Amino acid sequence: MRKIVGAGTAASLALAALLTGAFTGTARAANIAANPGFESGLSGWTCAPTAQAVSSPVHGGSRALSATPAGNDYARCQQTITVKPSTTYALSAWVQGNYVFLGATGAGVEAQTWASPGSAWSRLATSFTTGSATTSVTVYVNGWYGQGTYYADDVVLDGPGTAPSPSPSPSPSPSVSPSPSPSASPSPSASPSPSGPPPNPGSITFAPYVDITMTTPSLVSAYTATGVKNYTLAFALGDSTGCNPAWGGTIPIGDARIVGDVKGLQARGGQVIVATGGAVGPYLEHTCGTSAALLAAYKKVLDTVGSNYLDVDVEAAIDIAKVNTALRQLQAERGTVISYTLRVQGQDYGVDPFSVQILQDAAARGLNVLVNPMLMDFGYSGAWGAAMVGAANATVAQMKQIWPSKTDAQIKRMLGLTPMIGKNDTGQVTYQADARTLLSYAQAGHVGRIGFWSVGRDNGGCPNGTLSPTCSGVSQSAYEFTNIFKAFTG
């Protein structure tokens, strides 16, 4: 039963709470964004070259933001704001256009919302709570690849903090519209009525896999040793009861060690991608009998670790329609960045036929995915580094057939690359030189993401060619492959 408090009593209580600091840890209603209505042009904001303050259309005042994404960017405007740790903030803005995103990023902070309101003003709103070490967040608004001009006005960040000092003469720079994330752009011709948004361009371009069921290395220790802040957690599977996610199928999803490690990484500005599936199982994609149940399982894992990145590793048959239906709904509700990690048939073929069917179904449903071929354990001839590049190029050719309306650059941004460092299961060996060959290909083509299997093997503990989950089987220094691939800039 809800207790009713009289208006006068409520006002007195609120005033007393404000005077005594009883609301500590909760944001007070005070807009701390600089130049939130763009009345002073772009002062206080760092924006893409196409951004400008316009007099029409506006939501409030006399000016609003206008920006037009090109075919290979998303025309972001952003500002960094000083905030208080362990405090809840409310973020909102009014927007027009196709696929307009509003969000905030920072140490342990990743909040995002979106809309596609067309020519009508629509209010976007989200909230976030800063971590114990968070002292600043970057608030942003942006559109999406080649989707036309968007407008934004009346940005509000409610809470205690300090707005950036307005700059007298803003100087937009192309560098503030970074390379798009490893996700597909919307394709009206292929999907006239997409059910969900394209994932918002993110910052995760390198995220090696970690077998999170192993106690070492921890995410925080790997970050401390290498500076790499993003990792892919393998694997969230079904436990003995069926459609209930557990790490490796045996460790509770809320395990204190694992969740504490993730939160420790996030407090240092890092983030995780949750991987399901893999080589063993039991897959959630199998044990969850309906798309609704699978959707709930995906949400449970993502909510537990505080991430909006999901990787589905398919190395066994799945019910394609059930899985893609759940993923499409997840993306529609949350804008989740979704990747499919898939088996390679051969260096000249690309991913296997079943994987092609998965992607064809995803495209038909308007699901935006990063395509991540496993560059390991396939037949090849010649040098292994060149064979991995060949398999990647063959996958790109398949993707062009599946998404014919996309440009070559857009297709490459949808491509992930995941080799197995050192000794592979079927005999191939990825040496440091092979890793550098793949890195050069990724840098030249501006692919979406690099990963590798796995951080726990990235050491010289078995330089004699042993196949092991805890060492690479080649002579190397600690974290040598991590340090090679972390040079990838997208």
Side-chain angles (χ1 to χ4, degrees):
M1 179 180 295
R2 178 176 298 173
K3 185 176 181 180
I4 300 175
V5 180
T9 302
S12 299
L13 289 172
L15 178 59
L18 182 61
L19 293 174
T20 60
F23 291 155
T24 299
T26 302
R28 296 175 177 86
N31 189 6
I32 58 173
N35 188 24
F38 302 93
E39 300 302 308
S40 300
L42 303 183
S43 178
W45 295 87
T46 304
C47 298
T50 61
Q52 59 181 318
V54 297
S55 57
S56 180
V58 299
H59 177 262
S62 60
R63 306 183 86 177
L65 170 69
S66 166
T68 305
N72 61 351
D73 70 14
Y74 49 93
R76 174 171 289 187
C77 257
Q78 62 186 37
Q79 62 174 266
T80 299
I81 302 172
T82 300
V83 295
K84 292 187 175 182
S86 304
T87 302
T88 299
Y89 289 80
L91 175 65
S92 65
W94 289 86
V95 300
Q96 285 189 27
N98 295 326
Y99 298 108
V100 189
F101 294 85
L102 174 72
T105 62
V109 172
E110 183 182 344
Q112 175 190 291
T113 186
W114 73 281
S116 186
S119 60
W121 285 107
S122 177
R123 184 175 182 269
L124 294 178
T126 185
S127 63
F128 59 88
T129 300
T130 54
S132 59
T134 308
T135 58
S136 67
V137 296
T138 297
V139 171
Y140 62 83
V141 61
N142 59 256
W144 188 253
Y145 305 122
Q147 289 297 299
T149 300
Y150 74 87
Y151 301 91
D153 202 357
D154 298 331
V155 179
V156 175
L157 181 62
D158 278 348
T162 305
S165 299
S167 55
S169 54
S171 178
S173 166
S175 64
V176 299
S177 185
S179 300
S181 80
S183 313
S185 61
S187 176
S189 59
S191 182
S193 301
S195 63
N200 192 37
S203 58
I204 299 185
T205 54
F206 174 48
Y209 285 77
V210 174
D211 183 348
I212 202 64
T213 66
M214 298 170 58
T215 57
T216 59
S218 71
L219 302 173
V220 171
S221 67
Y223 166 83
T224 301
T226 66
V228 172
K229 64 180 183 178
N230 301 313
Y231 297 90
T232 303
L233 307 185
F235 290 97
L237 304 174
D239 70 7
S240 59
T241 67
C243 183
N244 185 50
W247 300 112
T250 59
I251 301 174
I253 209 68
D255 177 75
R257 173 188 68 84
I258 294 174
V259 174
D261 197 19
V262 171
K263 297 305 180 184
L265 179 70
Q266 291 169 334
R268 292 162 173 80
Q271 187 52 281
V272 296
I273 301 169
V274 173
T276 68
V280 180
Y283 284 16
L284 286 168
E285 291 76 12
H286 294 158
T287 60
C288 297
T290 66
S291 59
L294 181 57
L295 173 64
Y298 287 149
K299 289 180 177 179
K300 182 175 182 179
V301 181
L302 294 174
D303 289 344
T304 299
V305 298
S307 176
N308 202 27
Y309 293 83
L310 180 68
D311 176 56
V312 182
D313 184 329
V314 182
E315 301 179 48
I318 60 171
D319 182 334
I320 294 174
K322 178 181 71 177
V323 175
N324 279 339
T325 296
L327 293 175
R328 185 181 70 171
Q329 185 64 29
L330 182 69
Q331 197 169 80
E333 292 182 16
R334 302 188 176 199
T336 306
V337 178
I338 295 168
S339 52
Y340 261 124
T341 296
L342 303 168
R343 297 173 297 190
V344 168
Q345 179 94 345
Q347 72 185 84
D348 297 323
Y349 186 89
V351 298
D352 64 22
F354 184 68
S355 298
V356 171
Q357 293 176 30
I358 293 172
L359 298 179
Q360 288 171 332
D361 184 82
R365 295 174 188 274
L367 174 64
N368 298 287
V369 295
L370 178 138
V371 179
N372 185 32
M374 288 182 282
L375 302 178
M376 59 187 82
D377 301 332
F378 60 85
Y380 75 103
S381 60
W384 177 238
M388 290 192 291
V389 169
N393 280 327
T395 303
V396 167
Q398 293 171 315
M399 294 165 65
K400 288 181 179 179
Q401 295 295 314
I402 296 168
W403 291 280
S405 65
K406 298 189 186 302
T407 67
D408 288 352
Q410 289 172 332
I411 290 290
K412 282 290 182 72
R413 295 304 298 178
M414 295 170 61
L415 179 69
L417 304 171
T418 295
M420 181 174 179
I421 61 172
K423 183 72 173 288
N424 283 214
D425 295 291
T426 54
Q428 302 88 341
V429 181
T430 303
Y431 291 103
Q432 292 89 332
D434 301 309
R436 292 187 179 95
T437 295
L438 195 60
L439 173 65
S440 296
Y441 170 81
Q443 294 280 45
H446 301 290
V447 306
R449 186 188 299 160
I450 294 180
F452 67 78
W453 185 266
S454 66
V455 175
R457 303 181 71 245
D458 194 9
N459 61 75
C462 54
N464 57 353
T466 299
L467 179 62
S468 169
T470 59
C471 49
S472 66
V474 301
S475 179
Q476 64 157 101
S477 60
Y479 295 111
E480 187 169 356
F481 285 92
T482 302
N483 287 321
I484 290 171
F485 285 123
K486 77 178 183 182
F488 179 59
T489 55

